[in-house]
Amino acid sequence: MSAPKKREPAGWAGEDEIQLLRHFCRQDFWTFFLYCFGAWANPKGRRWIDPEVHEPMARWFQKHIDEWQQWRRDGVGKQKHLAILVHREIGKTTLFTRAGQLWLHLRDPEVATALGAEKEGLAAKMLEAMKAVLDGSDSHALWTKLYGNWAENSRKWTNKEVVHSGRKNTSRQDPSMVVFGVETSITGSHPDVLFYDDPISYERLTTDTNWLASVNSQISSLIPVIQGDGLLVWVGTRYDDEDHFGVAFRTQGVATVEGMQTDSIPLDPDGNIHVYFMAGRDMDGKPTTPNVWPEERLKRYERAEPLRYAAQ
């Protein structure tokens, strides 16, 4: 009689199933987000994640990442620009800026990504959350169980820069991940990917009348910094016709809009920006994310903050 199989710890599948999960998390962004990144295991995530809302966003992101990575393999030498323009409090930073960025590192550990925000400190907080996934201190994430601890033997692990142990090319000077703010920017680095997450806030607009110009100037200076076959991802909410979304849409043109169609974003057959757009209400006036923004809350917000509501 053969010896009985060793029992796996409670809550863990057999090695074959773990290998399968490891494969699917690398191949499928939605699976990665829910399980490897740990969003579905987090009680807070359960309150706002709605597969009908967030899975289409994840599929859109994956479609463009698959295409961009194929361009790089084929030596096309072309940048891809993505703009995620959705309303507040539905996890766009968690889904795209944090989970999306880590998924890129999982698929290509040699990649260099930069993360910008209104203030460097805000970007640093996002980096800390991503580091917690990589080193296992985020108890909801499965990264270290599936792919190991990328903090171990890392060459740099600070609150501003990371060179994780997944990278094997020791000659590349660009860090695996680096953060910056509108007023600090990045110097001496040429990342493959740039995530720019909400560099504008109403509070800053009321105290600095030149803030939109500062943001737009920085973006103009950053685009040449990205590798010629790089990826630019804007994540945020509209604030003004002259914000970075509005200026870019006019000057670069929008090639496609998915999520919701809108007359406010005209298409340009020669455009190079791909937009995922979702307003607070659909074309029939119904809430698009009722788990977070039910009808009653939307009405209260409209009365209390009409300008901010208009950007929803």
Side-chain angles (χ1 to χ4, degrees):
M1 179 182 292
S2 60
K5 293 182 179 180
K6 181 180 178 181
R7 294 179 63 87
E8 294 293 331
W12 270 96
E15 181 60 30
D16 288 346
E17 291 167 294
I18 293 174
Q19 289 280 10
L20 192 63
L21 182 59
R22 187 178 290 134
H23 169 77
F24 277 112
C25 284
R26 181 179 283 111
Q27 297 299 317
D28 184 75
F29 178 50
W30 180 241
T31 302
F32 171 87
F33 172 67
L34 293 178
Y35 302 110
C36 183
F37 183 76
W40 196 241
N42 190 322
K44 291 183 178 179
R46 291 289 183 104
R47 291 199 292 267
W48 62 263
I49 295 172
D50 181 347
E52 292 187 8
V53 172
H54 295 94
E55 186 173 359
M57 294 183 186
R59 300 296 177 206
W60 173 86
F61 185 71
Q62 168 142 12
K63 175 181 69 174
H64 285 289
I65 297 305
D66 285 344
E67 182 179 53
W68 171 67
Q69 291 183 324
Q70 188 62 51
W71 287 354
R72 301 195 97 193
R73 288 190 292 268
D74 294 342
V76 173
K78 179 181 178 182
Q79 290 186 353
K80 180 176 277 286
H81 294 185
L82 304 179
I84 295 96
L85 193 55
V86 299
H87 56 281
R88 298 172 179 82
E89 298 182 28
I90 65 167
K92 56 183 178 288
T93 291
T94 301
L95 177 61
F96 294 107
T97 307
R98 290 167 49 197
Q101 191 168 172
L102 287 177
W103 189 57
L104 294 179
H105 284 270
L106 177 61
R107 291 188 123 193
D108 179 9
E110 305 301 328
V111 75
T113 63
L115 166 57
E118 179 188 350
K119 300 176 182 178
E120 185 176 302
L122 295 175
K125 288 181 179 180
M126 299 179 210
L127 178 61
E128 285 301 311
M130 290 189 287
K131 288 163 59 182
V133 173
L134 295 177
D135 67 16
S137 56
D138 183 341
S139 61
H140 303 109
L142 298 181
W143 182 292
T144 56
K145 295 179 176 64
L146 296 175
Y147 308 107
N149 185 336
W150 284 24
E152 292 181 354
N153 301 316
S154 60
R155 299 202 299 279
K156 184 169 288 188
W157 198 260
T158 71
N159 62 357
K160 183 175 180 178
E161 295 185 12
V162 163
V163 180
H164 53 60
S165 59
R167 179 181 286 184
K168 305 307 179 187
N169 182 359
T170 58
S171 64
R172 184 168 190 181
Q173 296 182 354
D174 303 305
S176 299
M177 294 187 281
V178 64
V179 299
F180 65 94
V182 173
E183 294 176 313
T184 57
S185 197
I186 51 177
T187 57
S189 183
H190 294 279
D192 304 295
V193 182
L194 175 65
F195 283 82
Y196 208 41
D197 192 299
D198 253 347
I200 302 170
S201 68
Y202 279 108
E203 291 74 18
R204 191 57 182 258
L205 288 177
T206 59
T207 59
D208 188 341
T209 56
N210 294 319
W211 191 248
L212 291 181
S214 298
V215 171
N216 290 328
S217 175
Q218 185 189 53
I219 289 179
S220 297
S221 68
L222 285 173
I223 290 178
V225 170
I226 308 169
Q227 298 287 340
D229 60 351
L231 172 70
L232 174 61
V233 183
W234 287 314
V235 181
T237 305
R238 291 300 304 271
Y239 290 87
D240 187 272
D241 288 342
E242 296 303 316
D243 63 18
H244 59 298
F245 286 112
V247 171
F249 293 170
R250 289 196 305 272
T251 58
Q252 298 184 43
V254 173
T256 63
V257 176
E258 295 187 45
M260 285 178 59
Q261 294 302 312
T262 172
D263 295 335
S264 65
I265 306 177
L267 298 182
D268 182 345
D270 297 320
N272 69 338
I273 302 175
H274 301 275
V275 178
Y276 194 97
F277 174 78
M278 178 176 286
R281 297 184 185 277
D282 63 19
M283 300 298 289
D284 297 322
K286 297 178 181 178
T288 55
T289 53
N291 288 353
V292 178
W293 288 97
E295 179 67 26
E296 183 178 350
R297 188 184 181 206
L298 278 174
K299 287 182 176 178
R300 289 200 307 267
Y301 190 61
E302 182 178 13
R303 288 194 297 268
E305 299 283 354
L307 291 177
R308 299 189 186 198
Y309 172 84
Q312 289 277 70

